[in-house]
Amino acid sequence: MVARVAEHCSVRLALVAFASCFSMSTATLSGAAANEGGVASNDRPLSMSMTLAQALASADARAPGVVIARAAVREAMAARAGAGVVFPSNPRLSIDGRPPITGGAALADMGYGASLEVPFELGGAPSARVREAERTATTFRAELGVERGRARTVAWSSYMRAQVADQRVKELALSLEIAERVFAASKQRAVAGASADIETSLAGTEVAQLQVSMQRASLSQRAHLMDLKAALDLPASQSLALLTPAEEPRSVPSEAVLVSRALAARPELAVVKQRLMLLDATGERLRKELFPRLGVYVGVDASPQSSIFGVVGVSVELPVAQRNVGPRARVEAARAGEIQRDELLARQIAREVLQSRDAYEARLEELRLLGDSALPQALRTLELIEIGWRAGRFDVFRVTTAAREVAKIREQRLDALEAAWTERIAIDRSVGGMDL
């Protein structure tokens, strides 16, 4: 009996253990599935790594302006529904009673009549309205291209500014390392009696100032990351790691090639072109609507004192007053304005391309001079002065001045790098997009 009870208890314990393991496995799988979906178990977004190309692709699909413009395209496409219907209005049914005035009883001899009229258009206006609706949707698609270009510019600019800010933090860390080294050496010299307390105080001040600069650079980087999240419509708490470094940008084609590409690919010019085509379609629709509307009607005419007659006829709209005079005049004026806009925009784009390319080449030259000449020489000067200071030939003021010059040139190089990328992005914007 005792053996049976023990066996029964062991079976129950095994079932309980199996159920516990099954529930734990289910919870583990659920957590893994949640992680695969991009959401952590505490409902916070997972870390996201992103290259520049991925950021631009995400801006093309997720940017708030792009999403709104895409909704406008869908709305414009929906306007095509029913545009090709040949009936300008619903059929009209008329029924009347005809009480006799003389020669009969008012109710007993009352006659009646009924007619059904169906109007329709034969002048081609329905098909013209269809083409106008299609042109409207195409125009909104062109404006969607403009929004995509803007989103690309904002995302690219925020990405590179964040990366340059990250380099600023690293460059300031190198300058801070030098300042801390000088500070430590000045304290050792003060203990040994080789220098006054003013040298230690000055070196400590340099360390504190560089720490403040690092805090500002870190804050600037976080601000640019938040701008990038806004451009990509990402959650504010999303952890974002940028993988493409802000290196020296490459050279760009000649001015003639850039201008030719801009005039062919700039989305604003495509919008003007589509607006002209839309105005042509609107003008065609207004002209076709001048054709008189026709109607077919059938009816019955009956009364007790006469025969019952059937009625079949055709109705025609009389063009007593010319229609669409105002709308057609506005379309012609708008068309002339769009042609002028196209000419002005083409010249403006050419000027933007030339100005951006000229500024870009100047920034690249400035970046090369600072990185290849000024910074190496400043570092060599600092090294020599520090060696002389440790040997007692210079005071700490010469060391801090040389260290400040190194930090200044590093800051100027990063300013030139950021400015070069700003002009490179401006070239991309002015030509309507080009390879990275």
Side-chain angles (χ1 to χ4, degrees):
M1 183 66 179
V2 173
R4 288 183 179 180
V5 171
E7 182 180 359
H8 179 69
C9 293
S10 62
V11 170
R12 292 189 62 184
L13 289 174
L15 290 175
V16 171
F18 176 76
S20 300
C21 293
F22 179 76
S23 61
M24 292 177 62
S25 300
T26 304
T28 303
L29 291 176
S30 301
N35 291 335
E36 288 180 1
V39 179
S41 58
N42 56 356
D43 295 332
R44 294 186 60 188
L46 297 175
S47 177
M48 177 185 297
S49 300
M50 182 177 296
T51 64
L52 176 59
Q54 291 172 340
L56 298 183
S58 180
D60 184 75
R62 295 175 53 92
V66 173
V67 173
I68 294 174
R70 194 180 294 118
V73 171
R74 291 194 298 267
E75 182 180 352
M77 293 176 62
R80 190 186 182 282
V85 177
V86 298
F87 304 106
S89 60
N90 291 327
R92 180 181 297 272
L93 176 63
S94 300
I95 301 175
D96 62 87
R98 301 175 181 180
I101 303 300
T102 61
L107 296 179
D109 298 326
M110 177 178 289
Y112 63 90
S115 65
L116 176 65
E117 182 179 4
V118 181
F120 56 90
E121 294 177 305
L122 296 178
S127 59
R129 284 194 291 268
V130 171
R131 286 189 293 271
E132 183 183 20
E134 292 173 349
R135 291 300 182 191
T136 301
T138 305
T139 302
F140 276 96
R141 289 192 189 97
E143 292 179 352
L144 172 60
V146 175
E147 288 297 332
R148 283 174 169 165
R150 292 173 182 167
R152 174 184 173 93
T153 298
V154 173
W156 196 347
S157 178
S158 301
Y159 193 104
M160 299 314 298
R161 289 179 186 275
Q163 290 295 73
V164 172
D166 181 66
Q167 288 193 25
R168 290 184 192 276
V169 174
K170 295 178 181 178
E171 294 284 352
L172 287 170
L174 295 177
S175 298
L176 180 60
E177 181 181 349
I178 295 174
E180 290 176 341
R181 185 173 69 241
V182 173
F183 182 49
S186 65
K187 289 193 293 185
Q188 293 177 358
R189 286 167 55 86
V191 171
S195 64
D197 292 339
I198 189 173
E199 292 190 357
T200 304
S201 177
L202 180 62
T205 302
E206 291 293 322
V207 171
Q209 289 179 344
L210 287 172
Q211 289 175 342
V212 171
S213 298
M214 285 188 63
Q215 290 292 331
R216 291 177 178 175
S218 179
L219 178 61
S220 176
Q221 183 194 24
R222 293 195 298 270
H224 292 312
L225 281 176
M226 188 61 68
D227 292 340
L228 179 60
K229 294 176 186 178
L232 305 183
D233 193 25
L234 296 175
S237 59
Q238 175 71 62
S239 178
L240 194 60
L242 307 184
L243 303 180
T244 303
E247 299 176 346
E248 180 177 335
R250 299 180 297 179
S251 59
V252 295
S254 63
E255 295 177 352
V257 174
L258 291 177
V259 172
S260 176
R261 182 178 300 178
L263 295 178
R266 186 71 177 259
E268 289 85 353
L269 291 174
V271 170
V272 174
K273 179 180 178 181
Q274 294 301 326
R275 284 176 180 170
L276 284 171
M277 298 178 69
L278 174 58
L279 289 170
D280 290 339
T282 302
E284 179 186 5
R285 188 259 303 171
L286 292 173
R287 288 191 299 270
K288 290 184 178 296
E289 285 182 347
L290 291 174
F291 192 86
R293 296 175 181 175
L294 303 178
V296 174
Y297 62 91
V298 295
V300 61
D301 183 2
S303 63
Q305 296 183 1
S306 65
S307 302
I308 298 176
F309 296 95
V311 180
V312 178
V314 177
S315 63
V316 180
E317 186 180 45
L318 298 179
V320 177
Q322 191 177 12
R323 295 184 304 171
N324 295 335
V325 176
R328 283 186 287 124
R330 288 193 294 270
V331 166
E332 290 300 324
R335 192 177 188 281
E338 290 297 331
I339 293 175
Q340 189 174 18
R341 186 198 302 272
D342 183 63
E343 296 172 354
L344 294 174
L345 187 57
R347 290 193 293 269
Q348 178 184 347
I349 288 174
R351 289 192 297 268
E352 289 179 359
V353 171
L354 298 181
Q355 181 180 6
S356 298
R357 190 183 186 281
D358 184 61
Y360 179 65
E361 294 295 334
R363 294 299 186 181
L364 285 182
E365 182 63 22
E366 179 182 356
L367 183 60
R368 283 191 287 267
L369 289 174
L370 290 170
D372 298 340
S373 179
L375 183 58
Q377 293 179 11
L379 288 171
R380 178 58 178 166
T381 301
L382 174 62
E383 180 183 1
L384 294 176
I385 290 178
E386 187 176 355
I387 292 175
W389 171 65
R390 292 179 182 274
R393 293 195 298 268
F394 302 120
D395 55 25
V396 73
F397 298 99
R398 297 283 297 273
V399 179
T400 56
T401 300
R404 289 175 184 174
E405 190 65 22
V406 170
K408 177 182 177 181
I409 294 177
R410 281 174 171 167
E411 184 71 16
Q412 290 176 343
R413 190 189 71 83
L414 290 176
D415 289 341
L417 178 62
E418 184 174 348
W421 273 111
T422 299
E423 297 300 337
R424 173 63 179 83
I425 296 169
I427 292 175
D428 181 87
R429 179 75 178 93
S430 63
V431 301
M434 55 189 298
D435 297 335
L436 299 178

